[in-house]
Amino acid sequence: MTNSARLPQSGFSLIELMIVGAVVAVLAAIAMPRYQMHVVKARRMAAINCLMDQAQVQERWRTRSFSYVGAPLAACAGELRAYRIDVLSTRTGYRLDATPVPASGDIPCGVISLDHTGARSPTGAQCW
């Protein structure tokens, strides 16, 4: 047997690996901003749901004590990581605020509010 008979080589060339790397980088560059946008939306919806739960707590408290003052926080308020729930209550009304923490990324909506009349702010459709 002579050394001139070669076995077929298997594997990938450097060019093929670089092309695959470039394709993966392009896909990641497209997918990451969309993923981050969906994460922000999901966190915002969790805060809105918590505001609604807190509004129910406020209303139940009022039926028992004839005042909104002193109502406990809803259980979800302690579970939120991207928002802080603030309750401003008086004897005849309340306002609930969901304030985003600085790292949440929810710049367009900012503080999301709900009051005892059902008024919501900000009024943009993307926020509620």
Side-chain angles (χ1 to χ4, degrees):
M1 188 167 248
T2 65
N3 285 341
S4 63
R6 294 188 175 190
L7 296 174
Q9 294 189 6
S10 61
F12 298 105
S13 69
L14 182 59
I15 298 295
E16 292 169 333
L17 290 175
M18 289 177 64
I19 290 172
V20 168
V23 168
V24 168
V26 168
L27 290 176
I30 293 170
M32 282 306 290
R34 293 185 61 86
Y35 170 74
Q36 290 171 340
M37 178 186 64
H38 286 291
V39 168
V40 168
K41 280 180 159 180
R43 289 177 178 164
R44 185 182 314 134
M45 290 310 299
I48 288 171
N49 287 337
C50 191
L51 286 180
M52 297 292 197
D53 289 349
Q54 184 63 43
Q56 290 177 359
V57 168
Q58 295 290 120
E59 295 299 335
R60 283 193 300 268
W61 185 262
R62 167 133 181 174
T63 60
R64 283 187 245 141
S65 65
F66 302 106
S67 174
Y68 292 112
V69 177
L73 278 177
C76 62
E79 299 170 2
L80 292 176
R81 301 268 184 245
Y83 287 84
R84 184 184 75 242
I85 302 296
D86 297 315
V87 179
L88 305 165
S89 58
T90 64
R91 192 176 62 77
T92 59
Y94 63 86
R95 188 179 87 214
L96 309 173
D97 293 332
T99 306
V101 297
S104 71
D106 196 6
I107 303 298
C109 291
V111 178
I112 301 170
S113 298
L114 176 67
D115 69 8
H116 65 282
T117 64
R120 303 170 176 179
S121 69
T123 57
Q126 76 274 10
C127 295
W128 281 87

